[in-house]
Amino acid sequence: MGTWDIGPFDNDTAADFSYRVDEAPAEKKAEVLRTAFREVIDTGDDYLDADLADEAIASAALLAAQCPGGEPVTTSYGPKDPLPPLPAELRPQAVTALDRILTEPSELLELWEESDGEEWKAVVRKLRAVLHGADTGSASGS
């Protein structure tokens, strides 16, 4: 696992994922994120691969950046091109995916717990809080 810090794009998998987001046409970018969330959610109680988790966390960061209280993705490892407005319907999927990542069996959770990953968990929980707050606090479709 090529990881250099605790941020959503501070690993090789998320950096590669950013390229996939950039390569998608504007009208398909939301689907790239939706797929990342779905792949994590669909693992159910099965073992969750770290690469899937990294992609979903990166997706959640991109979505949260468009929510009240969200932080912009400014890292050079994130997508180069701005994303169009993303649909609010992705927010509950992102929250569910983040909850799954923080639940065993999760390879990424295990890897971070081996190195006292409380700071990493705090980053993931903050993304979740922004997305959950935006989802429950907004009745609009954007």
Side-chain angles (χ1 to χ4, degrees), residues 96-131:
T96 301
L98 294 175
D99 287 345
R100 175 61 189 89
I101 290 164
L102 293 174
T103 304
E104 292 289 348
S106 169
E107 181 181 22
L108 192 60
L109 178 63
E110 290 173 9
L111 291 169
W112 277 107
E113 285 182 338
E114 288 173 6
S115 62
D116 190 30
E118 288 306 312
E119 289 181 71
W120 171 81
K121 287 182 198 175
V123 169
V124 175
R125 288 181 184 127
K126 183 175 180 182
L127 286 173
R128 186 200 185 282
V130 167
L131 292 161

PDB file of all heavy atoms in Angstrom, residues 96-131:
ATOM      1  N   THR A  96     -23.081   5.464   3.713  1.00  0.00           N
ATOM      2  CA  THR A  96     -23.133   4.009   3.900  1.00  0.00           C
ATOM      3  C   THR A  96     -21.790   3.372   3.584  1.00  0.00           C
ATOM      4  O   THR A  96     -21.319   2.485   4.310  1.00  0.00           O
ATOM      5  CB  THR A  96     -24.252   3.400   3.026  1.00  0.00           C
ATOM      6  OG1 THR A  96     -25.502   3.998   3.393  1.00  0.00           O
ATOM      7  CG2 THR A  96     -24.341   1.901   3.190  1.00  0.00           C
ATOM      8  N   ALA A  97     -21.141   3.821   2.511  1.00  0.00           N
ATOM      9  CA  ALA A  97     -19.830   3.285   2.147  1.00  0.00           C
ATOM     10  C   ALA A  97     -18.792   3.592   3.225  1.00  0.00           C
ATOM     11  O   ALA A  97     -18.001   2.716   3.606  1.00  0.00           O
ATOM     12  CB  ALA A  97     -19.387   3.840   0.794  1.00  0.00           C
ATOM     13  N   LEU A  98     -18.788   4.809   3.736  1.00  0.00           N
ATOM     14  CA  LEU A  98     -17.829   5.162   4.787  1.00  0.00           C
ATOM     15  C   LEU A  98     -18.071   4.347   6.052  1.00  0.00           C
ATOM     16  O   LEU A  98     -17.119   3.894   6.699  1.00  0.00           O
ATOM     17  CB  LEU A  98     -17.885   6.663   5.080  1.00  0.00           C
ATOM     18  CG  LEU A  98     -17.426   7.573   3.941  1.00  0.00           C
ATOM     19  CD1 LEU A  98     -17.653   9.031   4.313  1.00  0.00           C
ATOM     20  CD2 LEU A  98     -15.976   7.319   3.556  1.00  0.00           C
ATOM     21  N   ASP A  99     -19.340   4.142   6.392  1.00  0.00           N
ATOM     22  CA  ASP A  99     -19.655   3.297   7.552  1.00  0.00           C
ATOM     23  C   ASP A  99     -19.113   1.887   7.349  1.00  0.00           C
ATOM     24  O   ASP A  99     -18.563   1.288   8.280  1.00  0.00           O
ATOM     25  CB  ASP A  99     -21.164   3.244   7.787  1.00  0.00           C
ATOM     26  CG  ASP A  99     -21.725   4.528   8.360  1.00  0.00           C
ATOM     27  OD1 ASP A  99     -20.949   5.381   8.857  1.00  0.00           O
ATOM     28  OD2 ASP A  99     -22.965   4.700   8.298  1.00  0.00           O
ATOM     29  N   ARG A 100     -19.259   1.359   6.138  1.00  0.00           N
ATOM     30  CA  ARG A 100     -18.770   0.005   5.849  1.00  0.00           C
ATOM     31  C   ARG A 100     -17.246  -0.068   5.950  1.00  0.00           C
ATOM     32  O   ARG A 100     -16.686  -1.033   6.466  1.00  0.00           O
ATOM     33  CB  ARG A 100     -19.240  -0.420   4.440  1.00  0.00           C
ATOM     34  CG  ARG A 100     -18.702  -1.762   3.970  1.00  0.00           C
ATOM     35  CD  ARG A 100     -19.156  -2.902   4.888  1.00  0.00           C
ATOM     36  NE  ARG A 100     -18.481  -4.138   4.558  1.00  0.00           N
ATOM     37  CZ  ARG A 100     -17.311  -4.528   5.080  1.00  0.00           C
ATOM     38  NH1 ARG A 100     -16.673  -3.775   5.957  1.00  0.00           N
ATOM     39  NH2 ARG A 100     -16.784  -5.688   4.740  1.00  0.00           N
ATOM     40  N   ILE A 101     -16.558   0.967   5.493  1.00  0.00           N
ATOM     41  CA  ILE A 101     -15.096   1.001   5.546  1.00  0.00           C
ATOM     42  C   ILE A 101     -14.611   0.957   6.991  1.00  0.00           C
ATOM     43  O   ILE A 101     -13.583   0.345   7.294  1.00  0.00           O
ATOM     44  CB  ILE A 101     -14.569   2.250   4.814  1.00  0.00           C
ATOM     45  CG1 ILE A 101     -14.807   2.097   3.304  1.00  0.00           C
ATOM     46  CG2 ILE A 101     -13.102   2.508   5.120  1.00  0.00           C
ATOM     47  CD1 ILE A 101     -14.693   3.390   2.518  1.00  0.00           C
ATOM     48  N   LEU A 102     -15.356   1.563   7.890  1.00  0.00           N
ATOM     49  CA  LEU A 102     -14.979   1.603   9.303  1.00  0.00           C
ATOM     50  C   LEU A 102     -15.509   0.417  10.096  1.00  0.00           C
ATOM     51  O   LEU A 102     -15.474   0.421  11.332  1.00  0.00           O
ATOM     52  CB  LEU A 102     -15.468   2.913   9.936  1.00  0.00           C
ATOM     53  CG  LEU A 102     -14.777   4.179   9.428  1.00  0.00           C
ATOM     54  CD1 LEU A 102     -15.445   5.418  10.005  1.00  0.00           C
ATOM     55  CD2 LEU A 102     -13.290   4.156   9.736  1.00  0.00           C
ATOM     56  N   THR A 103     -15.997  -0.611   9.391  1.00  0.00           N
ATOM     57  CA  THR A 103     -16.554  -1.808  10.024  1.00  0.00           C
ATOM     58  C   THR A 103     -15.788  -3.041   9.550  1.00  0.00           C
ATOM     59  O   THR A 103     -15.549  -3.211   8.361  1.00  0.00           O
ATOM     60  CB  THR A 103     -18.049  -1.957   9.641  1.00  0.00           C
ATOM     61  OG1 THR A 103     -18.742  -0.763  10.001  1.00  0.00           O
ATOM     62  CG2 THR A 103     -18.683  -3.143  10.327  1.00  0.00           C
ATOM     63  N   GLU A 104     -15.419  -3.892  10.481  1.00  0.00           N
ATOM     64  CA  GLU A 104     -14.753  -5.154  10.123  1.00  0.00           C
ATOM     65  C   GLU A 104     -15.707  -6.054   9.351  1.00  0.00           C
ATOM     66  O   GLU A 104     -16.910  -5.987   9.584  1.00  0.00           O
ATOM     67  CB  GLU A 104     -14.289  -5.889  11.392  1.00  0.00           C
ATOM     68  CG  GLU A 104     -13.176  -5.178  12.122  1.00  0.00           C
ATOM     69  CD  GLU A 104     -11.849  -5.228  11.381  1.00  0.00           C
ATOM     70  OE1 GLU A 104     -11.711  -6.009  10.408  1.00  0.00           O
ATOM     71  OE2 GLU A 104     -10.958  -4.465  11.752  1.00  0.00           O
ATOM     72  N   PRO A 105     -15.227  -6.871   8.441  1.00  0.00           N
ATOM     73  CA  PRO A 105     -13.835  -6.992   8.013  1.00  0.00           C
ATOM     74  C   PRO A 105     -13.494  -5.993   6.914  1.00  0.00           C
ATOM     75  O   PRO A 105     -14.141  -5.943   5.874  1.00  0.00           O
ATOM     76  CB  PRO A 105     -13.755  -8.427   7.486  1.00  0.00           C
ATOM     77  CG  PRO A 105     -15.129  -8.729   6.981  1.00  0.00           C
ATOM     78  CD  PRO A 105     -16.074  -7.911   7.836  1.00  0.00           C
ATOM     79  N   SER A 106     -12.510  -5.146   7.183  1.00  0.00           N
ATOM     80  CA  SER A 106     -12.094  -4.100   6.274  1.00  0.00           C
ATOM     81  C   SER A 106     -10.564  -4.032   6.280  1.00  0.00           C
ATOM     82  O   SER A 106      -9.964  -3.708   7.308  1.00  0.00           O
ATOM     83  CB  SER A 106     -12.688  -2.757   6.714  1.00  0.00           C
ATOM     84  OG  SER A 106     -12.112  -1.689   6.027  1.00  0.00           O
ATOM     85  N   GLU A 107      -9.960  -4.347   5.155  1.00  0.00           N
ATOM     86  CA  GLU A 107      -8.499  -4.362   5.069  1.00  0.00           C
ATOM     87  C   GLU A 107      -7.903  -2.998   5.414  1.00  0.00           C
ATOM     88  O   GLU A 107      -6.917  -2.909   6.153  1.00  0.00           O
ATOM     89  CB  GLU A 107      -8.056  -4.788   3.667  1.00  0.00           C
ATOM     90  CG  GLU A 107      -6.548  -4.853   3.509  1.00  0.00           C
ATOM     91  CD  GLU A 107      -6.104  -5.239   2.115  1.00  0.00           C
ATOM     92  OE1 GLU A 107      -6.883  -5.063   1.147  1.00  0.00           O
ATOM     93  OE2 GLU A 107      -4.958  -5.697   1.990  1.00  0.00           O
ATOM     94  N   LEU A 108      -8.480  -1.920   4.881  1.00  0.00           N
ATOM     95  CA  LEU A 108      -7.936  -0.597   5.135  1.00  0.00           C
ATOM     96  C   LEU A 108      -8.027  -0.247   6.620  1.00  0.00           C
ATOM     97  O   LEU A 108      -7.071   0.289   7.207  1.00  0.00           O
ATOM     98  CB  LEU A 108      -8.653   0.452   4.280  1.00  0.00           C
ATOM     99  CG  LEU A 108      -8.014   1.829   4.233  1.00  0.00           C
ATOM    100  CD1 LEU A 108      -6.599   1.776   3.682  1.00  0.00           C
ATOM    101  CD2 LEU A 108      -8.864   2.765   3.381  1.00  0.00           C
ATOM    102  N   LEU A 109      -9.142  -0.562   7.245  1.00  0.00           N
ATOM    103  CA  LEU A 109      -9.291  -0.336   8.681  1.00  0.00           C
ATOM    104  C   LEU A 109      -8.223  -1.114   9.449  1.00  0.00           C
ATOM    105  O   LEU A 109      -7.565  -0.570  10.337  1.00  0.00           O
ATOM    106  CB  LEU A 109     -10.689  -0.751   9.137  1.00  0.00           C
ATOM    107  CG  LEU A 109     -10.977  -0.624  10.634  1.00  0.00           C
ATOM    108  CD1 LEU A 109     -10.892   0.825  11.093  1.00  0.00           C
ATOM    109  CD2 LEU A 109     -12.350  -1.218  10.946  1.00  0.00           C
ATOM    110  N   GLU A 110      -8.019  -2.374   9.086  1.00  0.00           N
ATOM    111  CA  GLU A 110      -7.005  -3.192   9.758  1.00  0.00           C
ATOM    112  C   GLU A 110      -5.617  -2.594   9.593  1.00  0.00           C
ATOM    113  O   GLU A 110      -4.844  -2.524  10.555  1.00  0.00           O
ATOM    114  CB  GLU A 110      -7.015  -4.611   9.188  1.00  0.00           C
ATOM    115  CG  GLU A 110      -8.227  -5.417   9.553  1.00  0.00           C
ATOM    116  CD  GLU A 110      -8.282  -6.756   8.821  1.00  0.00           C
ATOM    117  OE1 GLU A 110      -7.287  -7.127   8.158  1.00  0.00           O
ATOM    118  OE2 GLU A 110      -9.323  -7.407   8.918  1.00  0.00           O
ATOM    119  N   LEU A 111      -5.295  -2.167   8.377  1.00  0.00           N
ATOM    120  CA  LEU A 111      -3.968  -1.590   8.123  1.00  0.00           C
ATOM    121  C   LEU A 111      -3.751  -0.338   8.959  1.00  0.00           C
ATOM    122  O   LEU A 111      -2.671  -0.139   9.535  1.00  0.00           O
ATOM    123  CB  LEU A 111      -3.793  -1.281   6.637  1.00  0.00           C
ATOM    124  CG  LEU A 111      -3.692  -2.496   5.726  1.00  0.00           C
ATOM    125  CD1 LEU A 111      -3.805  -2.081   4.265  1.00  0.00           C
ATOM    126  CD2 LEU A 111      -2.391  -3.244   5.983  1.00  0.00           C
ATOM    127  N   TRP A 112      -4.766   0.518   9.038  1.00  0.00           N
ATOM    128  CA  TRP A 112      -4.619   1.736   9.827  1.00  0.00           C
ATOM    129  C   TRP A 112      -4.585   1.434  11.318  1.00  0.00           C
ATOM    130  O   TRP A 112      -3.871   2.104  12.070  1.00  0.00           O
ATOM    131  CB  TRP A 112      -5.723   2.734   9.499  1.00  0.00           C
ATOM    132  CG  TRP A 112      -5.382   3.512   8.271  1.00  0.00           C
ATOM    133  CD1 TRP A 112      -5.937   3.396   7.026  1.00  0.00           C
ATOM    134  CD2 TRP A 112      -4.380   4.530   8.150  1.00  0.00           C
ATOM    135  NE1 TRP A 112      -5.347   4.274   6.152  1.00  0.00           N
ATOM    136  CE2 TRP A 112      -4.385   4.993   6.816  1.00  0.00           C
ATOM    137  CE3 TRP A 112      -3.480   5.109   9.038  1.00  0.00           C
ATOM    138  CZ2 TRP A 112      -3.516   5.990   6.360  1.00  0.00           C
ATOM    139  CZ3 TRP A 112      -2.624   6.100   8.596  1.00  0.00           C
ATOM    140  CH2 TRP A 112      -2.657   6.529   7.262  1.00  0.00           C
ATOM    141  N   GLU A 113      -5.330   0.438  11.770  1.00  0.00           N
ATOM    142  CA  GLU A 113      -5.312   0.105  13.195  1.00  0.00           C
ATOM    143  C   GLU A 113      -3.963  -0.458  13.623  1.00  0.00           C
ATOM    144  O   GLU A 113      -3.569  -0.328  14.771  1.00  0.00           O
ATOM    145  CB  GLU A 113      -6.456  -0.840  13.537  1.00  0.00           C
ATOM    146  CG  GLU A 113      -7.785  -0.103  13.563  1.00  0.00           C
ATOM    147  CD  GLU A 113      -8.960  -0.968  13.949  1.00  0.00           C
ATOM    148  OE1 GLU A 113      -8.885  -2.209  13.815  1.00  0.00           O
ATOM    149  OE2 GLU A 113      -9.977  -0.402  14.382  1.00  0.00           O
ATOM    150  N   GLU A 114      -3.229  -1.067  12.687  1.00  0.00           N
ATOM    151  CA  GLU A 114      -1.884  -1.557  12.998  1.00  0.00           C
ATOM    152  C   GLU A 114      -0.927  -0.417  13.303  1.00  0.00           C
ATOM    153  O   GLU A 114       0.083  -0.607  13.968  1.00  0.00           O
ATOM    154  CB  GLU A 114      -1.332  -2.375  11.820  1.00  0.00           C
ATOM    155  CG  GLU A 114      -1.988  -3.712  11.651  1.00  0.00           C
ATOM    156  CD  GLU A 114      -1.542  -4.424  10.384  1.00  0.00           C
ATOM    157  OE1 GLU A 114      -0.627  -3.931   9.685  1.00  0.00           O
ATOM    158  OE2 GLU A 114      -2.115  -5.484  10.085  1.00  0.00           O
ATOM    159  N   SER A 115      -1.237   0.781  12.804  1.00  0.00           N
ATOM    160  CA  SER A 115      -0.354   1.924  13.021  1.00  0.00           C
ATOM    161  C   SER A 115      -1.059   3.029  13.811  1.00  0.00           C
ATOM    162  O   SER A 115      -0.779   4.206  13.624  1.00  0.00           O
ATOM    163  CB  SER A 115       0.142   2.461  11.682  1.00  0.00           C
ATOM    164  OG  SER A 115      -0.945   2.925  10.912  1.00  0.00           O
ATOM    165  N   ASP A 116      -1.966   2.634  14.698  1.00  0.00           N
ATOM    166  CA  ASP A 116      -2.695   3.592  15.525  1.00  0.00           C
ATOM    167  C   ASP A 116      -3.356   4.653  14.651  1.00  0.00           C
ATOM    168  O   ASP A 116      -3.000   5.829  14.682  1.00  0.00           O
ATOM    169  CB  ASP A 116      -1.769   4.232  16.561  1.00  0.00           C
ATOM    170  CG  ASP A 116      -2.540   5.047  17.585  1.00  0.00           C
ATOM    171  OD1 ASP A 116      -3.708   4.692  17.861  1.00  0.00           O
ATOM    172  OD2 ASP A 116      -1.993   6.035  18.086  1.00  0.00           O
ATOM    173  N   GLY A 117      -4.320   4.233  13.856  1.00  0.00           N
ATOM    174  CA  GLY A 117      -4.936   5.074  12.849  1.00  0.00           C
ATOM    175  C   GLY A 117      -6.065   5.971  13.315  1.00  0.00           C
ATOM    176  O   GLY A 117      -6.988   6.241  12.549  1.00  0.00           O
ATOM    177  N   GLU A 118      -6.015   6.469  14.531  1.00  0.00           N
ATOM    178  CA  GLU A 118      -7.097   7.325  15.022  1.00  0.00           C
ATOM    179  C   GLU A 118      -7.237   8.608  14.197  1.00  0.00           C
ATOM    180  O   GLU A 118      -8.339   9.078  13.966  1.00  0.00           O
ATOM    181  CB  GLU A 118      -6.919   7.647  16.506  1.00  0.00           C
ATOM    182  CG  GLU A 118      -7.190   6.459  17.421  1.00  0.00           C
ATOM    183  CD  GLU A 118      -8.557   5.809  17.198  1.00  0.00           C
ATOM    184  OE1 GLU A 118      -9.565   6.529  17.130  1.00  0.00           O
ATOM    185  OE2 GLU A 118      -8.608   4.569  17.100  1.00  0.00           O
ATOM    186  N   GLU A 119      -6.112   9.182  13.760  1.00  0.00           N
ATOM    187  CA  GLU A 119      -6.191  10.393  12.935  1.00  0.00           C
ATOM    188  C   GLU A 119      -6.855  10.096  11.600  1.00  0.00           C
ATOM    189  O   GLU A 119      -7.650  10.889  11.103  1.00  0.00           O
ATOM    190  CB  GLU A 119      -4.795  10.984  12.708  1.00  0.00           C
ATOM    191  CG  GLU A 119      -4.194  11.623  13.936  1.00  0.00           C
ATOM    192  CD  GLU A 119      -2.831  12.198  13.629  1.00  0.00           C
ATOM    193  OE1 GLU A 119      -2.773  13.222  12.922  1.00  0.00           O
ATOM    194  OE2 GLU A 119      -1.834  11.609  14.087  1.00  0.00           O
ATOM    195  N   TRP A 120      -6.528   8.943  11.011  1.00  0.00           N
ATOM    196  CA  TRP A 120      -7.157   8.551   9.743  1.00  0.00           C
ATOM    197  C   TRP A 120      -8.661   8.358   9.945  1.00  0.00           C
ATOM    198  O   TRP A 120      -9.466   8.838   9.158  1.00  0.00           O
ATOM    199  CB  TRP A 120      -6.510   7.270   9.201  1.00  0.00           C
ATOM    200  CG  TRP A 120      -7.243   6.703   8.039  1.00  0.00           C
ATOM    201  CD1 TRP A 120      -7.156   7.112   6.732  1.00  0.00           C
ATOM    202  CD2 TRP A 120      -8.196   5.645   8.055  1.00  0.00           C
ATOM    203  NE1 TRP A 120      -8.005   6.371   5.940  1.00  0.00           N
ATOM    204  CE2 TRP A 120      -8.645   5.462   6.734  1.00  0.00           C
ATOM    205  CE3 TRP A 120      -8.712   4.823   9.053  1.00  0.00           C
ATOM    206  CZ2 TRP A 120      -9.588   4.491   6.398  1.00  0.00           C
ATOM    207  CZ3 TRP A 120      -9.644   3.862   8.712  1.00  0.00           C
ATOM    208  CH2 TRP A 120     -10.075   3.705   7.393  1.00  0.00           C
ATOM    209  N   LYS A 121      -9.037   7.664  11.014  1.00  0.00           N
ATOM    210  CA  LYS A 121     -10.461   7.462  11.307  1.00  0.00           C
ATOM    211  C   LYS A 121     -11.165   8.807  11.480  1.00  0.00           C
ATOM    212  O   LYS A 121     -12.297   8.975  11.032  1.00  0.00           O
ATOM    213  CB  LYS A 121     -10.651   6.623  12.577  1.00  0.00           C
ATOM    214  CG  LYS A 121     -10.314   5.164  12.412  1.00  0.00           C
ATOM    215  CD  LYS A 121     -10.590   4.462  13.729  1.00  0.00           C
ATOM    216  CE  LYS A 121      -9.906   3.148  13.832  1.00  0.00           C
ATOM    217  NZ  LYS A 121     -10.077   2.536  15.163  1.00  0.00           N
ATOM    218  N   ALA A 122     -10.502   9.761  12.104  1.00  0.00           N
ATOM    219  CA  ALA A 122     -11.103  11.088  12.303  1.00  0.00           C
ATOM    220  C   ALA A 122     -11.363  11.767  10.960  1.00  0.00           C
ATOM    221  O   ALA A 122     -12.395  12.433  10.786  1.00  0.00           O
ATOM    222  CB  ALA A 122     -10.200  11.952  13.182  1.00  0.00           C
ATOM    223  N   VAL A 123     -10.463  11.598  10.004  1.00  0.00           N
ATOM    224  CA  VAL A 123     -10.666  12.168   8.658  1.00  0.00           C
ATOM    225  C   VAL A 123     -11.888  11.544   8.011  1.00  0.00           C
ATOM    226  O   VAL A 123     -12.738  12.244   7.452  1.00  0.00           O
ATOM    227  CB  VAL A 123      -9.405  11.958   7.781  1.00  0.00           C
ATOM    228  CG1 VAL A 123      -9.690  12.286   6.318  1.00  0.00           C
ATOM    229  CG2 VAL A 123      -8.253  12.800   8.295  1.00  0.00           C
ATOM    230  N   VAL A 124     -12.004  10.232   8.090  1.00  0.00           N
ATOM    231  CA  VAL A 124     -13.142   9.524   7.489  1.00  0.00           C
ATOM    232  C   VAL A 124     -14.436   9.932   8.191  1.00  0.00           C
ATOM    233  O   VAL A 124     -15.450  10.197   7.541  1.00  0.00           O
ATOM    234  CB  VAL A 124     -12.925   7.998   7.539  1.00  0.00           C
ATOM    235  CG1 VAL A 124     -14.151   7.249   7.023  1.00  0.00           C
ATOM    236  CG2 VAL A 124     -11.684   7.607   6.730  1.00  0.00           C
ATOM    237  N   ARG A 125     -14.405  10.026   9.499  1.00  0.00           N
ATOM    238  CA  ARG A 125     -15.611  10.418  10.250  1.00  0.00           C
ATOM    239  C   ARG A 125     -16.023  11.853   9.926  1.00  0.00           C
ATOM    240  O   ARG A 125     -17.212  12.165   9.889  1.00  0.00           O
ATOM    241  CB  ARG A 125     -15.380  10.243  11.742  1.00  0.00           C
ATOM    242  CG  ARG A 125     -15.338   8.788  12.162  1.00  0.00           C
ATOM    243  CD  ARG A 125     -15.140   8.643  13.664  1.00  0.00           C
ATOM    244  NE  ARG A 125     -15.020   7.249  14.025  1.00  0.00           N
ATOM    245  CZ  ARG A 125     -14.014   6.750  14.744  1.00  0.00           C
ATOM    246  NH1 ARG A 125     -13.055   7.535  15.210  1.00  0.00           N
ATOM    247  NH2 ARG A 125     -13.970   5.466  15.021  1.00  0.00           N
ATOM    248  N   LYS A 126     -15.052  12.726   9.697  1.00  0.00           N
ATOM    249  CA  LYS A 126     -15.376  14.106   9.343  1.00  0.00           C
ATOM    250  C   LYS A 126     -16.062  14.162   7.976  1.00  0.00           C
ATOM    251  O   LYS A 126     -17.046  14.876   7.799  1.00  0.00           O
ATOM    252  CB  LYS A 126     -14.115  14.969   9.332  1.00  0.00           C
ATOM    253  CG  LYS A 126     -14.410  16.423   9.044  1.00  0.00           C
ATOM    254  CD  LYS A 126     -13.174  17.279   9.153  1.00  0.00           C
ATOM    255  CE  LYS A 126     -13.537  18.725   8.845  1.00  0.00           C
ATOM    256  NZ  LYS A 126     -12.377  19.605   8.889  1.00  0.00           N
ATOM    257  N   LEU A 127     -15.552  13.397   7.013  1.00  0.00           N
ATOM    258  CA  LEU A 127     -16.215  13.319   5.709  1.00  0.00           C
ATOM    259  C   LEU A 127     -17.649  12.839   5.887  1.00  0.00           C
ATOM    260  O   LEU A 127     -18.580  13.389   5.300  1.00  0.00           O
ATOM    261  CB  LEU A 127     -15.471  12.357   4.777  1.00  0.00           C
ATOM    262  CG  LEU A 127     -14.163  12.824   4.179  1.00  0.00           C
ATOM    263  CD1 LEU A 127     -13.496  11.674   3.428  1.00  0.00           C
ATOM    264  CD2 LEU A 127     -14.384  14.009   3.262  1.00  0.00           C
ATOM    265  N   ARG A 128     -17.804  11.797   6.697  1.00  0.00           N
ATOM    266  CA  ARG A 128     -19.135  11.236   6.934  1.00  0.00           C
ATOM    267  C   ARG A 128     -20.066  12.288   7.536  1.00  0.00           C
ATOM    268  O   ARG A 128     -21.211  12.417   7.129  1.00  0.00           O
ATOM    269  CB  ARG A 128     -19.041  10.026   7.866  1.00  0.00           C
ATOM    270  CG  ARG A 128     -20.370   9.327   8.033  1.00  0.00           C
ATOM    271  CD  ARG A 128     -20.409   8.468   9.278  1.00  0.00           C
ATOM    272  NE  ARG A 128     -21.647   7.730   9.350  1.00  0.00           N
ATOM    273  CZ  ARG A 128     -22.807   8.254   9.727  1.00  0.00           C
ATOM    274  NH1 ARG A 128     -22.925   9.518  10.041  1.00  0.00           N
ATOM    275  NH2 ARG A 128     -23.894   7.493   9.763  1.00  0.00           N
ATOM    276  N   ALA A 129     -19.565  13.043   8.504  1.00  0.00           N
ATOM    277  CA  ALA A 129     -20.386  14.049   9.164  1.00  0.00           C
ATOM    278  C   ALA A 129     -20.821  15.140   8.183  1.00  0.00           C
ATOM    279  O   ALA A 129     -21.981  15.565   8.196  1.00  0.00           O
ATOM    280  CB  ALA A 129     -19.623  14.663  10.335  1.00  0.00           C
ATOM    281  N   VAL A 130     -19.908  15.579   7.322  1.00  0.00           N
ATOM    282  CA  VAL A 130     -20.255  16.596   6.323  1.00  0.00           C
ATOM    283  C   VAL A 130     -21.321  16.055   5.382  1.00  0.00           C
ATOM    284  O   VAL A 130     -22.322  16.727   5.108  1.00  0.00           O
ATOM    285  CB  VAL A 130     -19.007  17.042   5.522  1.00  0.00           C
ATOM    286  CG1 VAL A 130     -19.387  17.840   4.284  1.00  0.00           C
ATOM    287  CG2 VAL A 130     -18.074  17.848   6.414  1.00  0.00           C
ATOM    288  N   LEU A 131     -21.150  14.840   4.892  1.00  0.00           N
ATOM    289  CA  LEU A 131     -22.093  14.257   3.945  1.00  0.00           C
ATOM    290  C   LEU A 131     -23.434  13.966   4.599  1.00  0.00           C
ATOM    291  O   LEU A 131     -24.481  14.218   4.014  1.00  0.00           O
ATOM    292  CB  LEU A 131     -21.505  12.986   3.332  1.00  0.00           C
ATOM    293  CG  LEU A 131     -20.317  13.243   2.410  1.00  0.00           C
ATOM    294  CD1 LEU A 131     -19.511  11.981   2.204  1.00  0.00           C
ATOM    295  CD2 LEU A 131     -20.793  13.813   1.084  1.00  0.00           C
TER     296      LEU A 131
END
